[in-house]
Amino acid sequence: MAVGVFDSGIGGLTVLDALQKRLPEVPFVYFGDNAHAPYGVRTHDDIFNLTCAAVERLWAEGCDLVILACNTASAAALKRMQETWLPPNKRVLGVFVPLIEALTERQWGDNSPPREVDVKHVALFATPATVASRAFQRELAFRAIGVDVEAQPCGGVVDAIEQGDEILAEALVRSHVEALKRRMPHPQAAILGCTHYPLMEKTFQEALGPEVKVYSQANLVAESLADYLQRRPEFMGSGTQSKFITTGDAVSVSNKATQFLRKKVTFEAA
Ligand code: DGL
């Protein structure tokens, strides 16, 4: 009964951590496509092909249900996968919908027409590929009307975090927030639409100001998966073992992941 968790690299460990805390009895198989990260600057075709290959690898580990913890893959590939590629006995879920449901105060599966919601001005911080996909705006438009979304492609932030350069990451976050505020001076809510940004949540909140509600995904995704598995237990795959797989160098990815998550993580080669 294993569930797969996919990310372009180690950032998705923030989501995995929340999933493990919420569902301690479920074995998770984590796949990091470190050899091809970052995805945020790749084309949509490229992201689609890489994500499909990774998901197939997770099926081979006995995971019939795969969570795309990567926002870039969720934004640029998920819809196409669901519409053109996915067999009926498998499921792939992304990280945008739980977030949008929280933002628009909707229950899962509430397919009623879009309606007015309290929040009117939303700032989205994400990778260039996620921003270019406009997936967030598309999913939001199914559920809410009259919401103005201003998106900021946060070039450089993922690389700075991966390199452990906190000072650069902070400076970049502040400058991206300033750039966004020039276009939207008073956002009511801010979405951290990238796996790595929860690690910079404090800086985002400081730069945005205390009146802005900052939404970060990990706990929302965990809650949504718990709910999904209760309704669709048949998608618990046949796998029984938790493990970490990477397309990159297993030793260096393990070291980086241990540093990133501040607890010991051991990857094996894909
Ligand atoms: N995991 C990606 C995301 O959540 C960030 C890293 C990348 O660009 O690959 O968007």
Side-chain angles (χ1 to χ4, degrees), residues 16-182:
L16 178 74
D17 201 40
L19 294 177
Q20 285 174 326
K21 284 185 181 131
R22 179 64 182 82
L23 295 161
E25 70 289 0
V26 176
F28 288 99
V29 181
Y30 183 92
F31 183 106
D33 193 8
N34 296 78
H36 304 107
Y39 277 19
V41 289
R42 289 182 177 274
T43 64
H44 287 194
D45 276 349
D46 223 6
I47 295 166
F48 174 80
N49 291 329
L50 290 169
T51 306
C52 289
V55 168
E56 277 178 341
R57 179 68 176 79
L58 283 165
W59 291 342
E61 293 291 333
C63 304
D64 293 339
L65 167 63
V66 176
I67 307 290
L68 300 188
C70 179
N71 289 264
T72 306
S74 300
L78 179 60
K79 191 161 180 282
R80 184 166 158 200
M81 289 167 82
Q82 289 172 333
E83 286 175 0
T84 67
W85 180 79
L86 203 63
N89 59 341
K90 308 282 187 212
R91 287 289 182 280
V92 178
L93 304 175
V95 283
F96 274 117
V97 171
L99 188 73
I100 291 172
E101 284 172 347
L103 187 72
T104 57
E105 291 167 20
R106 260 182 197 245
Q107 299 297 319
W108 193 92
D110 173 355
N111 289 327
S112 58
R115 55 177 180 254
E116 290 232 13
V117 291
D118 283 346
V119 57
K120 301 280 184 233
H121 303 286
V122 176
L124 169 68
F125 297 94
T127 65
T130 297
V131 171
S133 75
R134 295 187 62 82
F136 181 83
Q137 289 91 328
R138 184 187 66 223
E139 292 297 333
L140 184 65
F142 289 135
R143 295 167 179 85
I145 45 177
V147 184
D148 183 18
V149 177
E150 193 60 58
Q152 176 66 27
C154 297
V157 176
V158 166
D159 287 332
I161 295 173
E162 294 258 334
Q163 284 153 18
D165 192 339
E166 229 172 282
I167 295 174
L168 176 62
E170 275 189 29
L172 286 168
V173 166
R174 288 184 196 285
S175 89
H176 287 305
V177 170
E178 265 170 40
L180 180 123
K181 279 183 141 185
R182 281 197 286 276

Side-chain angles (χ1 to χ4, degrees), residues 12 206 234 242:
E206 272 170 20
E234 69 274 23
S242 290

